[in-house]
Structures are given as structure tokens and as C-alpha cells.
């Protein structure tokens, strides 16, 4: 119930605004990330999270997931390696981009940076051992940030499962982690990497819990 009230408040806050000013944007982010949500409707090997109704799961490959919000693709990477080793990145805010903020709420840490590139905005958000990247239109920026905050804030891990996964495949997972991203603070090659797998097709029509690779239709029942 609290989630509904928070969402309604944020809707009214962003109503009539295509792009939030920095002060209001900071308030929106803090409002979502300080809420203690225990919701989940997406369950995979070692982790779970809540996917808002407005966001669709397009496909999933290992720990990379392609989501969609208002026609914009959102790319989510769940970093179980960093979670397993409790490794945290250091991030310094930047004054020369549209928005930059270090995030720390309820023991969860990360950052968000937003850069304007021509007529779109590049959003790079790492929080609670999840990483979201997307390019969005101006009118969808505020909504995208709200949805991204909800997803990453509700991310929860299963220590027993992750311990078994890392213990059996430690070298393989470490190699995957370091091949995904460039140096911090810059647009990574993650978007291109996931774009190449957007056409991924599974031979099985049935969606299996904890499957490493799934592809769903836009109106998947999990989002209802």
C-alpha cells in the first residue's frame, strides 16, 4: 500500500514536467530509495526483484536482462560477483554532466549519472549490486528514473544459491564480469553487448524458474 502512495506522489511531482530540475530529481530518487520495499515478482538463480507494471521484461541471458519502458529499452545487469565479495565501487560526482549523485540508503550504495547526448539522455545507475543503463527521450526521463530506482532498490540476493554458483564456476563468472564494462563513469559497451543478444531465441516455450536464458512477450503475466 505504501508503494502506491509513493508512486502517486511522484506522479504528481513530475506531472507537467518533461525533465525534472536537479533539486526535484534528487528528491524523487531519495523518496524511492528510502522506501523499504519487500516486494518481488521476478525470481532467478540467486536473486529476485520487483518489476513495476509499466515495465516489460523482453529477454534475459545469464545475468543480463533487457527491459522496456514506454518503448525505451533498459538494460539491467545483476553483479553477483561484487555482491559475493562485498566489493563496492568508488564514485565521484561530476559537475560537467546533467546530473550526478552518489547514492547511499539503508545500507545500499551506488551512484547515478545522467548525460545529455544530442536529443536523448544516457542514464547510468549502479545501486545495490545492480547496474542499469539506458538511452531515453526527454519526456520519458523522469519516469525511467523512478522505475529504475524501484527495480534496483528491491533487488535481493540468496546467499546460499550464490555461494554454490560462485564456488562451482568462480573463474568463469569473474571473466564475464570484467568483460562487460569499461572504466567507471563512461558509457560502457554493455548496451552494445546486450543489443547483440536482443534477438536471442530459446528453443523452449515454457518459462522455467531460475532459467539462465528466457525470452518473454511484452505483456508477460509476471508484470501483472
Amino acid at each position: 500500500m505504501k508503494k502506491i502512495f509513493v508512486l502517486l506522489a511522484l506522479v504528481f511531482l513530475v506531472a507537467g514536467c518533461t525533465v525534472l530540475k536537479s533539486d526535484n530529481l534528487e528528491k524523487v530518487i531519495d523518496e524511492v530509495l528510502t522506501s523499504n520495499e519487500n516486494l518481488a515478482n521476478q525470481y532467478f538463480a540467486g536473486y529476485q526483484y520487483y518489476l513495476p507494471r509499466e515495465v516489460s521484461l523482453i529477454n534475459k541471458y545469464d545475468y543480463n536482462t533487457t527491459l522496456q519502458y514506454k518503448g525505451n529499452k533498459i538494460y539491467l545487469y545483476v553483479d553477483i560477483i561484487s555482491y559475493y565479495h562485498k566489493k563496492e565501487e568508488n564514485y565521484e560526482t561530476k559537475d560537467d554532466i546533467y546530473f550526478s549523485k552518489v547514492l547511499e540508503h539503508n545500507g545500499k550504495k551506488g551512484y547515478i549519472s545522467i548525460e545529455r547526448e544530442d536529443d536523448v539522455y544516457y542514464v547510468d545507475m549502479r545501486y545495490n549490486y545492480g547496474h542499469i543503463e539506458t538511452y531515453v527521450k526527454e519526456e520519458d526521463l523522469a519516469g525511467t528514473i523512478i522505475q529504475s530506482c524501484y527495480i534496483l532498490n528491491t533487488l535481493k540476493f540468496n546467499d546460499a544459491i550464490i555461494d554454490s554458483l560462485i564456488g562451482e564456476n568462480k573463474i568463469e563468472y569473474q571473466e564475464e564480469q570484467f568483460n562487460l564494462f569499461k572504466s567507471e563513469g563512461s558509457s560502457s559497451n554493455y548496451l552494445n553487448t546486450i543489443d547483440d543478444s536482443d534477438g536471442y531465441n530459446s528453443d523452449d516455450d515454457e518459462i522455467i524458474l531460475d532459467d539462465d536464458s528466457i525470452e518473454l512477450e511484452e505483456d508477460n503475466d509476471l508484470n501483472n
Side-chain angles (χ1 to χ4, degrees), residues 185-199:
S186 63
S187 301
S188 76
N189 58 357
Y190 179 42
L191 295 177
N192 294 331
T193 301
I194 302 302
D195 279 338
D196 292 340
S197 66
D198 279 346

Side-chain angles (χ1 to χ4, degrees), residues 7-17 20 24-25 27-28 31:
L7 276 176
L8 287 175
L10 294 179
V11 168
F12 283 116
L13 181 60
V14 303
C17 301
L20 290 174
N24 287 336
L25 183 57
K27 291 178 182 178
V28 167
E31 181 68 30

Side-chain angles (χ1 to χ4, degrees), residues 75-206:
Y75 301 100
L76 168 67
Y77 172 67
V78 179
D79 190 354
I80 67 166
I81 292 293
S82 292
Y83 172 81
Y84 180 78
H85 294 289
K86 298 300 184 286
K87 178 183 177 182
E88 297 176 353
E89 289 192 43
N90 294 322
Y91 178 78
E92 296 182 0
T93 57
K94 300 179 179 180
D95 298 328
D96 58 345
I97 63 176
Y98 178 77
F99 185 81
S100 177
K101 177 178 173 61
V102 173
L103 307 172
E104 185 171 359
H105 298 284
N106 301 322
K108 304 170 185 177
K109 298 180 180 181
Y111 70 83
I112 182 170
S113 66
I114 305 173
E115 301 180 46
R116 184 168 185 171
E117 300 182 7
D118 297 326
D119 59 344
V120 296
Y121 290 81
Y122 169 66
V123 180
D124 177 20
M125 181 176 181
R126 298 195 189 195
Y127 186 72
N128 192 24
Y129 297 103
H131 184 192
I132 278 181
E133 288 183 282
T134 183
Y135 284 94
V136 296
K137 297 175 292 185
E138 188 173 77
E139 60 267 26
D140 297 332
L141 178 61
T144 299
I145 292 171
I146 293 173
Q147 307 301 339
S148 299
C149 287
Y150 262 108
I151 292 169
L152 296 183
N153 192 41
T154 57
L155 189 60
K156 293 180 178 63
F157 298 90
N158 186 311
D159 291 341
I161 294 178
I162 291 177
D163 183 63
S164 65
L165 290 173
I166 302 301
E168 295 175 359
N169 305 289
K170 187 173 182 179
I171 297 178
E172 177 183 345
Y173 282 120
Q174 284 180 333
E175 289 178 348
E176 178 183 1
Q177 179 198 23
F178 290 113
N179 286 336
L180 277 175
F181 302 109
K182 292 182 181 179
S183 59
E184 66 176 45
S186 63
S187 301
S188 76
N189 58 357
Y190 179 42
L191 295 177
N192 294 331
T193 301
I194 302 302
D195 279 338
D196 292 340
S197 66
D198 279 346
Y200 173 82
N201 293 314
S202 173
D203 294 332
D204 300 323
D205 293 329
E206 182 181 2

